[in-house]
Amino acid sequence: MQQDIVLIKLGGSVVTHKERPMTINKPAIDRIIKSLLSVKVPIMLVHGGGSFGHYWSTKYDLHSKPERYSSEGIAVVHESMISLNHILVKSMLKLKMNPYSVPPFSLILGNKPFMKKIFQLASMTKDKIIPITYGDIVYRTYHKYSILSGDELMTMISSVLRPKKVIFAINVDGIYKNIQAKDVVQTIEDRAPIKFSEVNFDITGGMKRKVREAFKISLAGMDVHFVNGFKPERLLKIIENKKTEGTVIKGKRPSTGNA
Ligand code: IPE
């Protein structure tokens, strides 16, 4: 059943300065969080790692493939994500937004979403609480760990809750058709199943991963929006169903049999 929830991913390149280790983008955080104050529908947040999690994952060679990794690396990456999360939580608390931080480890069982817990997050939003989780290094199975990205969490949470809106706040205006010309694709229709290799947009590795997750969500029937997180007024317009700059990947509609 579709939940009356807006699920938003705050990209690591919005909330941190990606090129500067362990550096937050305080004005961007404050602006985007403040803009959410005016949202009347329940919100759930996910954030990325940016120059916190990604920096340490690279240092300690931790990846998204389940492996036995350095225990010190696991501890350090996890701590870096907690500290970034804490900064976001504090910024929300200051505005009395009732954030409730949830480590992603408590939302999975091995490789699967822990459905019961994810449904509980939806219940919490009815109590005017804003659950906030984040990409992290997580235990998978048999002493193997892997990076669970915020993008994958978006897919996982969407598959369980089917939020009314799924939005990725990124550091550019949308998905570019031509990266040099900064030519934003407004709509990607998703009537037929799309194989990622068939999509000939010029996107960076990081963006590619996000788009791949977004396609998974759209194939399950939900529209997925990409919007510039440095322009929170656009994010608000998406929530209010108003036209704005950005990209929407249209959710696959059930076939009518006429195709
Ligand atoms: C990464 O999460 C988390 C860690 C590296 C621990 P994401 O992959 O979602 O982060 P961003 O948004 O791309 O920075």
Side-chain angles (χ1 to χ4, degrees):
M1 200 182 78
Q2 193 193 47
Q3 303 272 338
D4 191 21
I5 287 172
V6 177
L7 178 65
I8 305 168
K9 156 107 194 270
L10 305 177
S13 46
V14 174
V15 295
T16 74
H17 290 288
K18 216 147 181 187
E19 314 310 325
R20 285 188 251 154
M22 301 294 280
T23 313
I24 56 161
N25 187 338
K26 181 87 166 83
I29 292 177
D30 286 347
R31 245 184 299 135
I32 200 160
I33 296 291
K34 196 167 172 207
S35 76
L36 297 177
L37 258 182
S38 65
V39 177
K40 297 287 173 262
V41 281
I43 305 174
M44 215 178 263
L45 294 179
V46 174
H47 68 83
S51 65
F52 283 65
H54 281 296
Y55 173 74
W56 292 109
S57 308
T58 309
K59 275 241 170 259
Y60 283 97
D61 208 19
L62 269 46
H63 300 278
S64 50
K65 187 163 175 258
E67 298 264 12
R68 286 172 178 257
Y69 291 116
S70 141
S71 304
E72 185 182 314
I74 292 165
V76 170
V77 168
H78 181 57
E79 194 283 330
S80 75
M81 288 310 301
I82 292 177
S83 29
L84 176 57
N85 179 257
H86 190 49
I87 291 166
L88 286 158
V89 165
K90 275 194 296 189
S91 152
M92 292 170 78
L93 267 179
K94 223 156 95 191
L95 297 171
K96 304 203 179 313
M97 289 170 76
N98 309 329
Y100 187 96
S101 170
V102 182
F105 179 53
S106 63
L107 300 178
I108 55 165
L109 274 178
N111 293 322
K112 301 224 159 61
F114 189 177
M115 310 235 315
K116 208 167 164 179
K117 282 285 169 203
I118 296 175
F119 277 122
Q120 285 176 359
L121 294 185
S123 288
M124 290 169 75
T125 64
K126 307 253 164 25
D127 302 322
K128 302 215 178 318
I129 283 169
I130 303 183
I132 173 165
T133 187
Y134 45 88
D136 197 0
I137 178 84
V138 291
Y139 181 87
R140 294 295 192 171
T141 181
Y142 303 116
H143 310 291
K144 292 187 174 175
Y145 295 74
S146 72
I147 301 281
L148 172 62
S149 72
D151 303 327
E152 290 169 281
L153 277 162
M154 290 293 280
T155 305
M156 207 175 253
I157 296 171
S158 298
S159 72
V160 178
L161 297 181
R162 305 191 65 80
K164 207 162 93 179
K165 286 258 152 62
V166 181
I167 306 171
F168 287 77
I170 54 176
N171 64 341
V172 288
D173 287 335
I175 298 170
Y176 291 137
K177 208 183 306 176
N178 177 326
I179 216 158
Q180 269 84 33
K182 294 205 170 10
D183 191 4
V184 172
V185 192
Q186 298 224 311
T187 309
I188 300 174
E189 290 292 339
D190 203 351
R191 296 198 135 258
I194 294 179
K195 280 200 205 78
F196 193 76
S197 55
E198 289 170 10
V199 182
N200 55 359
F201 301 120
D202 187 5
I203 40 182
T204 64
M207 196 62 158
K208 197 165 172 171
R209 257 194 7 241
K210 287 176 207 317
V211 176
R212 185 174 291 147
E213 292 304 321
F215 275 142
K216 284 189 204 158
I217 301 171
S218 71
L219 284 175
M222 288 159 272
D223 290 353
V224 185
H225 298 264
F226 283 84
V227 69
N228 192 328
F230 298 127
K231 312 245 163 84
E233 64 284 359
R234 295 183 185 170
L235 179 80
L236 294 182
K237 281 202 174 142
I238 293 172
I239 298 172
E240 293 159 5
N241 293 317
K242 292 187 183 141
K243 229 179 134 43
T244 189
E245 172 137 26
T247 303
V248 53
I249 302 181
K250 290 294 213 183
K252 183 174 154 59
R253 310 282 176 251
S255 164
T256 57
N258 303 328

